[in-house]
Amino acid sequence: MVGRVVLVGTPIGDPGDASPRVGELLAAADVIAAEDTRRLRRLLDRLGIETSARVLSYFDGNEAARAAELLELLRGGATVAVVSDAGMPSISDPGFRLVAAAVEEGIAVTAVPGPSAVLTALALSGLPTDRFCFEGFLPRKAGERSRRLAELAGEPRTAVFFEAPHRTEETLRAMSDQLGADRRAVVCRELTKTYEEVRRGTVAELADWAAAGVRGEVTLVVAGAPASRGDTGDAVAAVLALVSGGAKLKPAVAEVAAAQGLAKNELYAAVLAARSRQPEVTTKEPDGRA
């Protein structure tokens, strides 16, 4: 008789968000694999849950080795509950390796749904929710992070990221460089907790805000690229036509960028480059003097 894996979604902040099934499952499990055993104990205490389950640490550093041990327990009929620090296990948290191994062996895998920082931030963002993608944590190294963001520059779906508070500013700066300073974004901090904060603006504005320092758990939600992007050459020509007709450069760039789905800063740079390539035009007075 084989056991089963149960992924247990836990509160991302407020313990009151735990469903009754969370308590029932943790009380009845044979084994609880916890990302942080101390945080698990605190959660159990706050929820008034008593369990006789064997508690094992299960985190990034030991996930591969521990998965093999848990798999052996499952073969013996144990119910193994997997718990991350917050939210749903296996979503940027330990759990995937065990689920994949269990599925491979035909062992049942189920879940107790719970709060999700990804969905909570997305719902609060005010950005389109009909299509979205979750990118987890971006690479820590600047070059790798920039390359990843460059790959996402044309992604039309709203994107959700996790980020460490001390890297939030540099990540937003990188987004400004690769996605455009005017790309809309939201910083969600300490969701469901006492000091919950949701900041909205462009990535450039949010980077300036983050320069003062950010604390707590951070989730970033970033608008997708415009559904249709105009041709830059045509957009440059449209801007120059407006300017030749008397319009100011920056308002003309803003108008054309909005109409053609282009980033203002990119179009502005392209217009300046085009103007620098234009030949100088001189006029002569009737006597031949320039």
Side-chain angles (χ1 to χ4, degrees), residues 18-95:
S19 71
R21 284 194 65 213
V22 170
E24 293 169 7
L25 194 287
L26 293 179
D30 299 304
V31 179
I32 300 176
E35 185 177 11
D36 186 324
T37 58
R38 292 168 299 181
R39 292 187 67 163
L40 170 65
R41 295 294 184 189
R42 288 197 294 270
L43 178 63
L44 294 175
D45 288 344
R46 296 192 69 173
L47 297 179
I49 299 171
E50 294 184 4
T51 181
S52 59
R54 177 184 175 191
V55 177
L56 299 175
S57 64
Y58 183 51
F59 57 95
D60 287 339
N62 73 355
E63 184 177 5
R66 188 69 87 188
E69 180 182 351
L70 294 172
L71 199 61
E72 192 61 37
L73 293 170
L74 288 162
R75 295 190 189 107
T79 293
V80 176
V82 181
V83 181
S84 62
D85 285 351
M88 181 59 69
S90 83
I91 307 299
S92 286
D93 278 324

Side-chain angles (χ1 to χ4, degrees), residues 97-245:
R97 286 186 175 87
L98 179 60
V99 170
V103 169
E104 183 70 21
E105 294 205 15
I107 296 172
V109 180
T110 188
V112 176
S116 164
V118 176
L119 296 181
T120 302
L122 180 67
L124 292 175
S125 70
L127 298 176
T129 59
D130 53 336
R131 299 179 65 216
F132 70 94
C133 59
F134 174 57
E135 289 293 324
F137 287 93
L138 288 167
R140 295 185 180 185
K141 294 183 178 180
E144 294 177 6
R145 181 173 57 232
S146 293
R147 284 191 291 274
R148 177 75 60 80
L149 288 170
E151 294 171 357
L152 294 171
E155 171 59 62
R157 296 171 295 177
T158 300
V160 184
F161 304 84
F162 286 158
E163 191 50 277
H166 62 277
R167 288 196 298 270
T168 299
E169 181 195 358
E170 59 186 273
T171 291
L172 289 166
R173 300 285 182 204
M175 288 178 173
S176 180
D177 291 339
Q178 300 300 326
L179 307 181
D182 294 325
R183 185 73 67 94
R184 290 185 299 152
V186 181
V187 177
C188 299
R189 187 181 71 83
E190 294 290 87
L191 288 172
T192 78
K193 300 178 184 178
T194 302
Y195 298 104
E196 175 179 290
E197 183 176 18
V198 178
R199 287 268 178 173
R200 301 176 178 86
T202 66
V203 288
E205 291 168 344
L206 291 171
D208 291 340
W209 165 79
V214 178
R215 292 184 178 182
E217 302 288 336
V218 174
T219 304
L220 305 175
V221 187
V222 182
S228 60
R229 295 174 64 88
D231 179 81
T232 302
D234 292 342
V236 168
V239 171
L240 293 176
L242 289 173
V243 171
S244 65

